[in-house]
Amino acid sequence: MAYRVVTKKFLNDARSICLFEFEAPLIARHAKAGQFVIFRLDEQGERVPVSVAGYDREKGTVSVMVQAAGRTTKMLHTVEQGDVISDIVGPLGRATEMEGLKKVCVVGGGVGCAIAYPIAKEMHEKGIEVTFIGGFRSADIVILKEELAEASDKLVICTDDGTYGRKGFTTDALRAEIEENIAESRPQFDRVIAIGPDIMMKFLAEVTRPYGISTIISLDPIMVDGTGMCGGCRVIVGGETKFACVDGPDFDAHQVDFDSLIKRAAFYKEEQDEAAAHICLMTGGKRVNA
Amino acid sequence: MPDMSLTKNPMPEQDPQVRVTNFDEVALGYTDEMAVAEAGRCLNCRHPLCVIGCPVSVRIPSFIQKIVEGDLDASYEILTSTNSLPAVCGRVCPQEKQCESQCIRGKKGESVAIGRLERYVADRHNAKKAKEAVPVPASNGHRVAVIGSGPSGLTCAGDLRKMGYDVTVFEAFHKSGGVLVYGIPQFRLPKEIVQTEIDNLIAMGVEIVNNAVIGKSETIDELFEDGFEAVYIASGAGLPQFLHIPGENLLGVYSANEILTRTNLMKAYRDDYDTPLKRLHNVAIIGGGNVAMDAARVAKRLGDGHVYITYRRGMEELPARKEEVEHAAAEGIEFQLLNNPVSIVGDENGRVVGLELIRQELGEPDEKGRRSPVPVEGSNWVLPCDAVIIAIGTSPNPLIRSTTPNLNVTRKGAIETDETGRTSREGVFCGGDAATGAATVILATGAGKIGAISIDDYIRSKT
């Protein structure tokens, strides 16, 4: 099997996040916002889960937005338009629930905005009032400015260093939005959907908890198969063990055991660092097969 | 006159000291001389009990007599008339509980080595056949979908194709073979053997679609909309069970499926593959079945410390194949039997440092004759280890049952079928572990054969 890259596009000045649109008719036919796919570059490649960023049912394509973080994602960034990778499987996991929602705040942190974008877009198209808060370290890594503006009724972008938009963290921006709703006696968000680094989601959950606002996060733990077979993506939710791949990836933020989640996510850190340090400097990560 | 020696011709094996450093096959297979000698031990009984012991009634004395006569083609023919995967079953069947347990020679001395002979015939056939073209049966114009490319799905697909059906197999993984590829390690079942079977099916005209998770990528109802007239579900039992004891989410606790999939499917044991696996040191396995033995032997090969099998009953009660237990013991796996896990102990960083066990005594036999273990109060102790692998069984994956309306399932999540493999949905058939819960390769292939016949009957009755 082979899956061709139809479009490749870097999404920010730092070229740290890249969009790939793949020919994958079976996935395109069924993908929904909130689901994920697993890709594998080639015979020696590992299986890497990544959220669905978009799909075109007519063209039969599915898009992902991937940050070059570890060895495999850095290698993916060297794949060009027209090239093929050996596998994509999906859509996996459950789609994000939108039933009955009227007003939501979607919060994305860094590359999490790429995952949050299709959710915001679909909600916006469904007539749900969407406030989008996007947080980035600095201006050079901001992605999807226009797309996010189009997919929301209100867009707040903040950067840690203040080089773009509001200075500060997403937690502060979210608190400000919630308080503003109260101050202006506008209806409160009936849901907050937060996607980003585990630590950010942990703090966002603490922002909404005192207000009693239902909060959903999308998890991205270590997994192999993505269909419930390995159990590597175990996460404790409300004291019960769940598999993020089949029971999630969305979970109630106020029930997730973040400490265990964060420890599990770092389990392979040494191996990941080691692997990332061994990317060929001559080929920039392209595997040279004998 | 049959050879009346009381013992089986021994199987040549890799030396235990050497094989714990590699993933090459442990059992090397009989030479022609050994096979003929062993075949000579068969009494060719008029009422062969071994056949009754075989779940798919392989005509054992007949295929063995053909070895004596030197007609391996005929021998293979007899084998495959009831078992599509002899090269696999010869290696992984629990013969000592099936055919060999019934062999008359076993009353005094050892039974005939039926499994080894089955493997011999299949291996010789495959080595020869690799050079021959596979005939492509003409199409009858009817399309059947098979879900899963494990032993049951492959068998059903092959039989249907031989009857003329256009068969498409949908496989969730990037590689075909199901549990034969992701579960059973290379040193017990070389993947090349599975690939040969798959290549044969493809050469016969079976289409295999990888990366297709039925229930997610496509539903069963959509398969019918797409023009398939019948569906055979062979999605296996891939969902790992956990114990629900304290500490199960500590770092270093794995399901056997995770360790085996990383190693066998993703080839984490090879430097040229990207999938990582933590360096293993002292490892405790929970469970005593074949999967537990596989996990232990993988851990031994990849690690540098002690590997323990912990099991709540005794040596006699281990559900694993006898040969696997013997191989594991020879490789230095340590058996901590009559010990039941209580909790997994972690350090301040959430990493495993030990497995708390409680000693057991065997009580009175239950209705099945199995003596149930009874905990000895106050006998708790901690086995120091830095990884725990849970191998207490698997159950059928819910992806299909949760996306197929009106498909009846049992209380344990298996898909309900009658003896012909029919489910509660018209045109939908099921067999293998998806219907029975985790069982054996031979039962799965047997179900695949029955499924193919039932689907043929069904489609004929409609046209």
Side-chain angles (χ1 to χ4, degrees):
Chain A
M1 291 285 270
Y3 298 81
R4 201 166 62 88
V5 178
V6 184
T7 314
K8 176 188 181 180
K9 195 169 82 186
F10 284 101
L11 296 175
N12 55 18
D13 299 338
R15 295 166 75 85
S16 60
I17 300 172
C18 188
L19 174 141
F20 291 89
E21 184 184 8
F22 289 103
E23 248 168 30
L26 217 52
I27 303 174
R29 183 168 161 187
H30 294 90
K32 291 201 184 81
Q35 291 187 295
F36 65 96
V37 295
I38 287 181
F39 74 89
R40 197 178 72 123
L41 292 173
D42 54 17
E43 172 55 28
Q44 295 96 328
E46 55 182 335
R47 292 170 66 96
V48 177
V50 51
S51 294
V52 169
Y55 46 81
D56 188 325
R57 304 220 198 277
E58 257 120 70
K59 265 169 76 189
T61 61
V62 62
S63 302
V64 297
M65 299 177 189
V66 179
Q67 174 162 243
R71 179 184 167 94
T72 300
T73 47
K74 281 180 182 164
M75 284 166 71
L76 177 66
H77 273 216
T78 69
V79 173
E80 300 301 337
Q81 204 159 302
D83 289 355
V84 297
I85 64 168
S86 56
D87 303 284
I88 310 178
V89 57
L92 300 169
R94 293 166 189 266
T96 300
E97 280 179 30
M98 302 178 186
E99 248 340 85
L101 297 178
K102 292 192 181 65
K103 181 175 176 176
V104 300
C105 183
V106 181
V107 188
V111 73
C113 288
I115 305 158
Y117 163 62
I119 297 171
K121 184 177 165 213
E122 196 173 317
M123 287 184 167
H124 189 62
E125 282 166 4
K126 281 191 152 92
I128 301 167
E129 185 183 336
V130 177
T131 298
F132 196 103
I133 299 172
F136 298 90
R137 211 178 49 240
S138 59
D140 61 330
I141 61 166
V142 174
I143 57 168
L144 301 171
K145 283 171 230 168
E146 286 106 60
E147 289 88 343
L148 290 173
E150 225 165 273
S152 58
D153 298 273
K154 180 178 182 184
L155 174 64
V156 180
I157 290 193
C158 40
T159 47
D160 299 358
D161 61 4
T163 47
Y164 188 90
R166 179 194 157 110
K167 183 179 187 323
F169 298 118
T170 52
T171 40
D172 304 325
L174 175 61
R175 195 177 289 112
E177 291 300 319
I178 294 170
E179 284 297 339
E180 199 179 298
N181 285 338
I182 296 168
E184 313 263 326
S185 340
R186 288 196 301 248
Q188 191 51 273
F189 300 121
D190 38 36
R191 180 159 301 163
V192 169
I193 293 152
I195 303 161
D198 292 340
I199 192 76
M200 180 196 95
M201 295 192 288
K202 177 182 172 170
F203 286 117
L204 284 169
E206 292 318 309
V207 170
T208 58
R209 199 190 295 270
Y211 298 100
I213 301 172
S214 149
T215 304
I216 298 293
I217 54 172
S218 173
L219 301 184
D220 179 23
I222 291 166
M223 60 179 73
V224 184
D225 61 287
T227 61
M229 280 180 52
C230 76
C233 64
R234 305 202 286 292
V235 45
I236 305 167
V237 183
E240 260 183 78
T241 296
K242 299 277 184 192
F243 289 180
C245 65
V246 286
D247 301 321
D250 291 359
F251 291 104
D252 180 346
H254 297 145
Q255 301 282 326
V256 168
D257 178 345
F258 280 100
D259 294 338
S260 144
L261 180 76
I262 290 167
K263 276 181 189 157
R264 288 189 72 84
F267 187 47
Y268 282 96
K269 192 169 181 313
E270 288 163 36
E271 286 77 5
Q272 284 162 347
D273 291 349
E274 167 86 11
H278 282 85
I279 291 177
C280 178
L281 295 174
M282 282 174 69
T283 65
K286 267 202 194 308
R287 207 183 318 260
V288 185
N289 284 308
Chain B
M1 253 313 273
D3 171 353
M4 291 312 288
S5 90
L6 295 181
T7 53
K8 294 176 179 176
N9 285 273
M11 179 65 126
E13 281 172 6
Q14 266 201 80
D15 182 83
Q17 303 301 316
V18 175
R19 72 193 194 220
V20 292
T21 64
N22 68 45
F23 274 78
D24 298 339
E25 191 169 18
V26 166
L28 302 172
Y30 276 165
T31 61
D32 295 338
E33 291 73 28
M34 290 172 190
V36 171
E38 185 62 28
R41 293 184 65 233
C42 175
L43 302 177
N44 196 10
C45 303
R46 184 185 301 228
H47 298 293
L49 296 175
C50 51
V51 179
I52 298 167
C54 173
V56 300
S57 310
V58 166
R59 287 178 286 138
I60 293 163
S62 311
F63 97 78
I64 292 179
Q65 285 318 299
K66 291 296 173 194
I67 301 175
V68 176
E69 293 164 22
D71 188 353
L72 291 186
D73 288 342
S75 182
Y76 185 78
E77 196 84 348
I78 294 166
L79 266 176
T80 48
S81 66
T82 51
N83 178 11
S84 302
L85 302 171
V88 175
C89 292
R91 288 172 165 83
V92 305
C93 257
Q95 289 94 359
E96 76 276 4
K97 292 190 183 115
Q98 301 178 347
C99 52
E100 293 182 13
S101 74
Q102 306 291 317
C103 177
I104 294 294
R105 296 298 306 263
K107 303 269 182 224
K108 190 181 173 203
E110 288 180 350
S111 71
V112 174
I114 301 167
R116 294 173 186 173
L117 291 174
E118 179 183 29
R119 167 186 165 162
Y120 164 78
V121 173
D123 285 359
R124 284 293 177 277
H125 174 86
N126 287 342
K128 190 173 129 229
K129 190 159 149 232
K131 295 167 200 113
E132 294 169 19
V134 184
V136 181
S139 165
N140 66 10
H142 296 283
R143 296 174 70 206
V144 180
V146 172
I147 303 170
S149 66
S152 202
L154 292 180
T155 302
C156 188
D159 282 15
L160 286 168
R161 186 70 272 274
K162 283 178 200 156
M163 296 176 199
Y165 290 94
D166 291 330
V167 183
T168 306
V169 179
F170 295 92
E171 166 56 44
F173 273 131
H174 53 267
K175 221 173 207 70
S176 308
V179 70
L180 307 176
V181 165
Y182 76 76
I184 303 176
Q186 179 76 10
F187 53 78
R188 187 147 86 86
L189 177 65
K191 300 309 149 222
E192 297 72 23
I193 290 167
V194 184
Q195 196 55 49
T196 304
E197 302 292 347
I198 291 161
D199 290 344
N200 279 342
L201 288 184
I202 294 170
M204 267 166 58
V206 171
E207 189 192 356
I208 301 186
V209 180
N210 290 96
N211 298 324
V213 184
I214 301 302
K216 284 284 172 193
S217 311
E218 202 155 25
T219 62
I220 286 188
D221 288 302
E222 285 167 327
L223 292 176
F224 283 112
E225 284 166 29
D226 289 350
F228 290 103
E229 293 167 63
V231 175
Y232 182 70
I233 304 172
S235 51
L239 214 67
Q241 287 165 15
F242 285 87
L243 287 151
H244 307 292
I245 57 172
E248 217 161 22
N249 290 315
L250 289 167
L251 301 178
V253 182
Y254 307 86
S255 72
N257 260 5
E258 179 174 357
I259 291 282
L260 293 174
T261 305
R262 282 180 184 273
T263 313
N264 303 329
L265 179 76
M266 305 309 297
K267 308 215 184 303
Y269 68 93
R270 282 173 52 167
D271 282 345
D272 53 340
Y273 280 71
D274 289 344
T275 298
L277 189 64
K278 275 278 166 200
R279 182 91 179 137
L280 297 166
H281 305 291
N282 297 315
V283 183
I285 321 290
I286 300 175
N290 287 324
V291 174
M293 298 303 145
D294 286 346
R297 296 170 69 196
V298 163
K300 191 75 190 173
R301 282 161 174 75
L302 294 174
D304 55 8
H306 295 274
V307 177
Y308 308 96
I309 290 277
T310 69
Y311 183 59
R312 64 203 179 100
R313 299 174 197 251
M315 201 72 175
E316 290 307 306
E317 288 80 22
L318 282 172
R321 258 178 116 220
K322 194 162 156 257
E323 190 181 81
E324 307 314 325
V325 177
E326 288 166 3
H327 281 164
E331 288 165 14
I333 309 294
E334 296 159 59
F335 289 81
Q336 292 289 353
L337 303 172
L338 289 167
N339 274 296
N340 204 27
V342 178
S343 73
I344 300 164
V345 189
D347 65 9
E348 67 281 3
N349 298 316
R351 290 185 182 250
V352 171
V353 292
L355 174 62
E356 184 191 357
L357 297 158
I358 183 165
R359 294 191 201 282
Q360 310 271 301
E361 280 174 348
L362 285 182
E364 293 303 307
D366 61 14
E367 58 271 26
K368 282 182 191 158
R370 285 230 294 190
R371 295 176 65 193
S372 326
V374 185
V376 180
E377 210 161 310
S379 67
N380 295 41
W381 63 290
V382 174
L383 175 66
C385 59
D386 41 51
V388 171
I389 301 174
I390 299 169
I392 57 162
T394 54
S395 48
N397 200 309
L399 282 180
I400 287 177
R401 65 174 187 254
S402 64
T403 53
T404 311
N406 306 319
L407 188 65
N408 291 350
V409 293
T410 67
R411 208 164 36 83
K412 286 182 173 170
I415 293 167
E416 248 176 43
T417 66
D418 65 11
E419 66 281 1
T420 68
R422 254 171 223 275
T423 69
S424 56
R425 279 285 302 268
E426 193 189 334
V428 179
F429 298 77
C430 175
D433 286 4
T436 59
T440 57
V441 171
I442 187 96
L443 280 171
T445 62
K449 283 207 163 288
I450 293 169
I453 294 166
S454 303
I455 287 171
D456 182 46
D457 287 346
Y458 167 73
I459 292 179
R460 278 166 188 278
S461 74
K462 297 231 313 171
T463 47

